């Protein structure tokens, strides 16, 4: 059992009061008015990303705007980045190098997970799943797979993307494991390797064609179409594949028998 | 509404720090760390908030002829990165805790006097 020391509790309460006061001081100005919520998006870095105007110089004179005047509409061609979802545009296109690092972090931590996984000796055998579980989970798995693929492919048009869709697909794999189907772990690791190498290949193609790593070398089509965003949809696909196979091998490890 | 969001997210950060200081059970420490991380993510999203802001997704239903009040998409993109890294670190920390339990037979960081008795149990 765990014993709570009163001295630590008092120290914790004092520290929290101090930190709360520091937070409060951080978000008000000299007159005691809140600073947050006042700054317009037009005064920030992401304004250029919304306007899809990063490579050109910034127009300083739009500080008078109460909002952002978007200079394009759905269907516009030849934009700097044809992604309708600006968050995906930042994650995959403008900050694609960050996303590569993020994928690396996920890969490293899950490699550590699989390395350190203790060899559990199961005392009793698993009970066989009933007929209903075994056959009912198959359509459920297919629907989950469909939803995951939809989320991956529409990451540049709607909220979603490679990470969310990959996690949904891995949940489908978990459903398969509940019904005690076997998943080929070799296949998962091959898929993961292929996905990781494809990410790097897309980045290197950008380097050779356009001159910088992970630059969008395909022509962005009309905004709002499925194949409209250049390399963004392919990177999303690759990330989805990688995340799904990594998380799938993670949940697969729990069902391994000695 | 904005203040509720801000106070809630900073409150989560403070709860996480309090848990990290006062607890010694490893799972509770990890839970505190996750609460802290959630609070930090929410705080970052608050920083991009605009009054009456819209989701920064361009679709045909938006009236693009007028200026639109988009929220800042950059913190949301950073939080997406942070969530995925949090998932990876949580998985790694859990498996480290499992290994710690198999090595020492306890889940607490506390060095108690009757430690040997606990291991025998």
């Amino acid at each position: 059992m765990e014993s709570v020391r009163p001295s630590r509790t008092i120290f914790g309460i004092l520290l929290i009061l101090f930190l709360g006061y520091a937070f409060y001081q951080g978000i008000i100005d000299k007159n005691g008015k809140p600073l947050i919520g006042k700054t317009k998006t037009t005064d920030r870095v992401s304004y250029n990303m919304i306007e899809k105007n990063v490579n050109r110089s910034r127009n300083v004179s739009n500080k008078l705007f109460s909002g952002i005047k978007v200079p394009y509409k759905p269907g516009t061609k030849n934009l700097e980045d044809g992604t309708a979802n600006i968050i995906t545009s930042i994650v995959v296109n403008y900050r694609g190098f960050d996303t590569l690092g993020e994928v690396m972090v996920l890969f490293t931590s899950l490699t550590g997970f699989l390395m350190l996984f203790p060899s559990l000796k199961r005392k009793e055998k698993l009970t066989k799943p009933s007929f209903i579980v075994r056959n009912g989970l198959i359509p459920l798995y297919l629907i989950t797979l469909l939803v995951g693929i939809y989320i991956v492919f529409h990451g540049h048009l709607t909220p979603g993307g490679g990470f969310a869709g990959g996690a949904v697909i891995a949940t489908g794999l978990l459903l398969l494991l509940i019904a005690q189907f076997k998943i080929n772990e070799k296949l998962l690791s091959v898929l993961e390797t292929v996905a990781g190498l494809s990410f790097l290949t897309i980045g290197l193609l950008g380097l050779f064609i356009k001159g910088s790593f992970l630059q969008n070398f395909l022509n962005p089509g009309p905004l709002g179409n499925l194949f409209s965003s250049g390399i963004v949809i392919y990177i999303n696909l690759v990330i989805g594949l990688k995340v799904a196979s990594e998380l799938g091998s993670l949940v697969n490890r729990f069902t391994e028998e000695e | 509404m904005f203040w509720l969001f801000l106070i809630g997210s900073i409150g989560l950060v403070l709860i996480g720090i309090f848990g990290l200081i006062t607890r010694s059970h490893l799972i509770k420490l990890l839970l505190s760390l996750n609460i802290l991380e959630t609070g930090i993510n929410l705080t970052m999203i608050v920083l991009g908030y605009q009054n009456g802001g819209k989701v920064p997704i361009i679709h045909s239903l938006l009236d693009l002829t007028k200026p639109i009040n988009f929220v800042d998409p950059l913190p949301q993109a950073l939080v997406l990165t942070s969530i995925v890294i949090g998932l990876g670190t949580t998985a790694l920390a859990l498996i480290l805790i499992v290994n710690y339990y198999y090595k020492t037979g306890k889940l607490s960081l506390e060095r108690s006097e009757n430690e040997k008795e606990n291991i025998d149990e």
Side-chain angles (χ1 to χ4, degrees):
Chain A
M1 287 303 291
E2 161 184 52
S3 63
V4 179
R5 290 186 206 155
S7 62
R8 270 199 197 179
T9 312
I10 291 167
F11 174 66
I13 289 172
L14 284 179
L15 186 70
I16 277 181
L17 286 177
F18 172 71
L19 283 178
Y21 181 70
F23 273 129
Y24 177 69
Q25 285 297 322
I27 57 176
I28 58 169
D29 58 1
K30 283 174 190 170
N31 305 322
K33 287 179 180 172
L35 285 169
I36 302 172
K38 300 284 182 192
T39 319
K40 294 278 185 294
T41 311
T42 42
D43 298 336
R44 297 191 179 184
V45 179
S46 40
Y47 173 66
N48 286 342
M49 294 168 178
I50 291 174
E51 214 184 22
K52 301 191 188 302
N53 196 17
V54 174
N55 288 342
R56 278 160 278 172
S57 64
R58 182 178 178 181
N59 193 356
V60 193
S61 66
N62 5 21
K63 289 200 173 181
L64 295 173
F65 270 133
S66 61
I68 296 156
K69 192 153 177 25
V70 180
Y72 47 87
K73 59 180 191 293
T76 314
K77 288 181 186 175
N78 292 322
L79 288 167
E80 184 180 83
D81 164 49
T83 314
N85 186 350
I86 294 164
I87 299 166
T88 308
S89 147
I90 293 175
V91 167
V92 180
N93 202 346
Y94 291 126
R95 293 181 166 263
F97 200 67
D98 281 12
T99 306
L100 185 63
E102 179 186 356
V103 169
M104 290 286 179
V105 168
L106 192 66
F107 172 72
T108 313
S109 61
L110 293 185
T111 310
F113 179 91
L114 295 178
M115 266 174 59
L116 293 171
F117 200 89
S119 57
L120 302 168
K121 275 163 191 160
R122 199 169 275 128
K123 281 171 187 168
E124 54 219 59
K125 281 211 158 185
L126 291 170
T127 50
K128 279 261 167 197
S130 68
F131 176 80
I132 294 177
V133 170
R134 203 171 166 90
N135 289 291
L137 281 179
I138 295 172
L140 204 57
Y141 163 68
L142 290 176
I143 291 170
T144 317
L145 195 66
L146 189 68
V147 171
I149 292 171
Y150 174 82
I151 291 175
V152 167
F153 271 101
H154 286 247
H156 59 295
L157 301 174
T158 52
F163 291 102
V168 171
I169 294 173
T171 316
L173 292 180
L174 183 60
L175 285 177
L176 275 191
L177 291 172
I178 287 173
Q180 290 189 19
F181 286 98
K182 290 271 184 293
I183 295 178
N184 193 349
E185 202 167 339
K186 278 263 175 65
L187 180 70
L188 286 180
S189 58
V190 166
L191 277 178
E192 187 194 334
T193 316
V194 167
L197 286 178
S198 321
F199 200 152
L200 286 176
T201 312
I202 291 171
L204 286 176
L205 279 175
L207 179 63
F208 287 129
I209 294 173
K210 284 271 183 172
S212 63
F213 191 67
L214 273 172
Q215 195 171 0
N216 200 343
F217 58 87
L218 293 173
N219 198 17
L223 187 98
N225 282 17
L226 182 59
F227 291 98
S228 68
S229 51
I231 62 168
V232 169
I233 187 169
Y234 300 109
I235 290 184
N236 259 335
L237 179 64
V238 160
I239 291 172
L241 202 63
K242 192 163 169 60
V243 171
S245 49
E246 273 172 356
L247 295 181
S249 60
L250 189 149
V251 293
N252 189 28
R253 186 56 72 91
F254 283 102
T255 59
E256 252 183 13
E257 289 183 49
E258 285 293 304
Chain B
M1 207 53 206
F2 171 69
W3 280 101
L4 197 68
F5 197 25
L6 186 64
I7 290 167
S9 51
I10 289 180
L12 280 179
V13 174
L14 295 180
I15 289 170
I17 292 172
F18 184 75
L20 279 180
I21 289 171
T22 56
R23 304 291 131 173
S24 59
H25 195 280
L26 282 171
I27 301 284
K28 285 179 184 171
L29 281 176
L30 187 59
L31 281 176
S32 313
L33 209 60
N34 273 336
I35 291 172
L36 176 62
E37 185 200 319
T38 312
I40 289 173
N41 288 345
L42 285 173
T43 314
M44 278 169 70
I45 291 179
V46 170
L47 295 182
Y49 182 79
Q50 307 271 309
N51 280 325
K54 288 215 162 53
V55 184
I57 296 176
I58 290 145
H59 51 86
S60 49
L61 294 177
L62 278 176
D63 188 7
L64 291 172
T65 52
K66 293 174 197 161
I68 309 167
N69 203 3
F70 277 140
V71 296
D72 197 349
L74 193 57
Q76 304 192 11
L78 294 180
V79 163
L80 181 66
T81 311
S82 164
I83 287 172
V84 176
I85 289 174
L87 169 77
T89 50
T90 306
L92 190 62
L94 277 172
I95 209 67
L96 284 176
I97 290 172
V98 169
N99 276 307
Y100 181 80
Y101 179 72
Y102 279 135
K103 283 262 159 59
T104 63
K106 58 176 188 167
L107 276 173
S108 176
L109 282 178
E110 212 157 280
R111 224 177 291 135
S112 57
E113 290 176 5
N114 50 359
E115 196 173 286
K116 286 181 181 176
E117 294 174 17
N118 284 341
I119 293 173
D120 290 341
E121 287 168 14

